[in-house]
């Protein structure tokens, strides 16, 4: 069945309706039984199936069909596609290399702290863990909770940045709407409030000079009189000291 065309019955319907190929040739190409091809031609089988043109899909060429029509013993061959379609990976838990498995608890702790909106199923897809492990790390009951350090799973190589962004965006879309009037903490002030006239005037206004107490008015004569009085007192003290 490796060389069978896409949608064998639909291809057989088209070949029966649009070519002069024998039932054996069509059956060999579509990997069907000749009696089944005959039933399709008689309208007893494949009722309601729309024919699929193998030429348009690149599975056959006009020259190949004409060669087979001219030679009843000739067998059609499926034309090889020039485009290689990668095989779909089997769905299941993400495989993590043995060398990276010890880093999964650190990655889970990072996701729980930085993206609490992620569901357990999303974390499981990103780092390939189990739900009990996620709950243990979230509730700090993990056996190694004291030694865990939050680390980015992208840096650890457990997932790609694109995969992480997709899961975060999906979680944000599915998150319940916040009540009206409630704002997120640590959000930026709206642009309208920071660029209005009052805000711009307050930002570029010169600060008012600090108020200082009025300077005391000093009388020069009084100052010199006090100095002379102090000097005379000190001279009298010196004279008394000399007497004794």
């Amino acid at each position: 069945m490796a060389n069978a065309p896409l949608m064998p019955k639909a291809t057989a319907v088209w070949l029966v309706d649009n070519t002069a190929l024998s039932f054996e040739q069509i059956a060999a190409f579509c990997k069907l039984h000749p009696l089944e091809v005959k039933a399709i031609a008689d309208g007893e089988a494949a009722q309601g199936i729309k024919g699929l043109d193998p030429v348009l899909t690149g599975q056959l060429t006009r020259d190949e069909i004409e060669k087979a029509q001219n030679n009843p013993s000739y067998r059609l061959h499926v034309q090889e596609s020039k485009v290689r379609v990668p095989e779909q990976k089997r769905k299941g838990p993400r495989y993590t290399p043995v060398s990276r498995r010890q880093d999964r608890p650190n990655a889970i702790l990072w996701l729980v702290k930085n993206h609490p909106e992620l569901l357990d199923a999303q974390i499981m897809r990103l780092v390939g863990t189990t739900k009990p492990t996620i709950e243990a790390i979230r509730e700090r009951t993990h056996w190694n909770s004291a030694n865990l350090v939050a680390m980015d799973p992208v840096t650890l190589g457990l997932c790609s940045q694109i995969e992480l962004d997709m899961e975060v965006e999906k979680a944000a879309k599915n998150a319940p709407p916040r009540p009206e009037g409630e704002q997120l903490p640590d959000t930026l002030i709206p642009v309208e409030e920071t660029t209005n006239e009052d805000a711009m005037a307050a930002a570029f206004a010169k600060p008012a000079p600090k108020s200082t107490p009025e300077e005391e008015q000093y009388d020069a004569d009084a100052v010199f009189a006090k100095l002379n009085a102090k000097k005379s007192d000190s001279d009298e003290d010196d004279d008394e000291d000399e007497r004794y």
Side-chain angles (χ1 to χ4, degrees):
M1 296 295 290
N3 295 327
L6 298 174
M7 302 178 64
K9 287 190 177 181
T11 303
V13 170
W14 189 91
L15 292 174
V16 167
D17 295 336
N18 298 276
T19 66
L21 297 172
S22 63
F23 295 160
E24 290 77 13
Q25 289 175 312
I26 298 175
F29 177 73
C30 297
K31 299 297 185 290
L32 300 174
H33 195 277
L35 294 178
E36 189 173 3
V37 178
K38 183 178 183 301
I40 292 175
D42 295 338
E44 298 175 358
Q47 295 180 358
I49 296 180
K50 185 178 180 180
L52 177 65
D53 187 352
V55 178
L56 293 178
T57 57
Q59 300 176 92
L60 275 179
T61 61
R62 291 291 180 182
D63 296 336
E64 186 77 356
I65 294 176
E66 290 179 2
K67 188 185 297 185
Q69 289 179 149
N70 296 330
N71 185 6
S73 61
Y74 183 81
R75 293 293 180 261
L76 297 169
H77 300 283
V78 178
Q79 187 178 8
E80 293 184 3
S81 177
K82 298 180 180 179
V83 179
R84 297 293 181 182
V85 180
E87 296 182 0
Q88 186 176 5
K89 295 182 179 180
R90 181 180 61 87
K91 293 184 178 180
R94 176 187 294 274
Y95 173 76
T96 305
V98 178
S99 60
R100 296 291 184 183
R101 292 179 185 178
Q102 60 184 357
D103 297 329
R104 284 189 296 192
N106 296 329
I108 296 171
L109 181 61
W110 188 91
L111 291 172
V112 169
K113 283 186 174 182
N114 294 276
H115 297 288
E117 71 276 9
L118 289 176
L119 302 177
D120 291 349
Q122 293 177 300
I123 299 176
M124 292 166 61
R125 285 196 297 268
L126 288 172
V127 299
T129 184
T130 59
K131 189 171 183 179
T133 304
I134 299 173
E135 292 180 355
I137 293 175
R138 183 180 284 115
E139 298 174 359
R140 307 296 294 179
T141 58
H142 191 266
W143 65 272
N144 197 27
S145 294
N147 299 322
L148 294 182
V149 179
M151 298 182 69
D152 190 348
V154 177
T155 304
L156 295 174
L158 297 175
C159 66
S160 65
Q161 186 65 49
I162 297 177
E163 293 172 338
L164 177 59
D165 293 343
M166 290 178 60
E167 295 294 346
V168 171
E169 183 179 358
K170 188 185 300 183
K173 289 182 179 179
N174 297 332
R178 294 182 175 273
E180 296 182 0
E182 181 181 355
Q183 295 182 354
L184 293 174
D186 300 331
T187 55
L188 295 176
I189 301 175
V191 179
E192 293 78 5
E193 297 183 10
T194 58
T195 57
N196 56 24
E197 295 181 358
D198 296 337
M200 297 296 289
F204 291 99
K206 293 183 179 180
K210 294 182 179 180
S211 59
T212 57
E214 297 182 358
E215 298 182 356
E216 297 180 2
Q217 301 294 331
Y218 294 101
D219 188 358
D221 296 335
V223 172
F224 284 112
K226 289 181 180 180
L227 291 175
N228 293 330
K230 289 182 179 180
K231 185 175 180 181
S232 61
D233 293 339
S234 60
D235 292 341
E236 292 177 359
D237 294 337
D238 293 339
D239 294 339
E240 292 179 358
D241 293 336
E242 290 177 358
R243 291 175 186 178
Y244 295 101

